[in-house]
Amino acid sequence: VPSADDVWVLRRLLEIAMCMICAVAFGFPGLLALRRWLRPGRRFLLFLCHHKAGGGALARWVEILVHRRISQPVFVDSDYLDDLEKIFDIVKSDTHALVAILTEQTLM
């Protein structure tokens, strides 16, 4: 038969274990949400990449369709052809997703 001291120690160990489980279960998602909230936002929802001749009109059409449904800006790669470094920086740090519009000319 366990003594009263043994039961007390066992209860405290179980309480500590439950607190640790709750801290991990609730703390980790909370830290992720805080990190996302503190991180600077990205300007563009999508970066649309396309073949110049084969997908330019299709890219603009997709941009219009997405913008009608979602009010976040969409970046089309032909918007800043004068400075390719700017395009690379935008893809790297200012867009949530890259979408490549594949046409017959793109796949050649």
Side-chain angles (χ1 to χ4, degrees):
V1 175
S3 68
D5 289 338
D6 292 339
V7 171
W8 184 86
V9 168
L10 185 59
R11 281 187 179 170
R12 294 305 163 258
L13 289 174
L14 288 172
E15 287 173 359
I16 291 170
M18 290 301 294
C19 287
M20 291 176 70
I21 289 171
C22 289
V24 169
F26 297 113
F28 186 69
L31 286 175
L32 287 177
L34 181 64
R35 179 178 163 245
R36 187 173 285 177
W37 183 67
L38 292 175
R39 185 178 63 180
R42 297 176 184 234
R43 287 189 295 170
F44 301 101
L45 175 68
L46 298 175
F47 180 88
L48 297 178
C49 181
H50 62 89
H51 185 273
K52 182 178 179 180
L58 180 59
R60 289 292 172 197
W61 184 63
V62 169
E63 177 189 23
I64 291 168
L65 289 178
V66 170
H67 193 67
R68 281 183 187 168
R69 295 204 176 248
I70 302 168
S71 62
Q72 289 184 290
V74 175
F75 185 87
V76 180
D77 63 357
S78 57
D79 289 344
Y80 290 98
L81 289 178
D82 56 328
D83 188 4
L84 291 180
E85 287 298 317
K86 192 175 210 174
I87 291 177
F88 295 140
D89 287 339
I90 289 171
V91 171
K92 179 177 74 173
S93 60
D94 273 347
T95 60
H96 287 281
L98 173 100
V99 176
I101 297 178
L102 301 177
T103 59
E104 190 175 325
Q105 291 86 357
T106 309
L107 300 173
M108 286 184 173

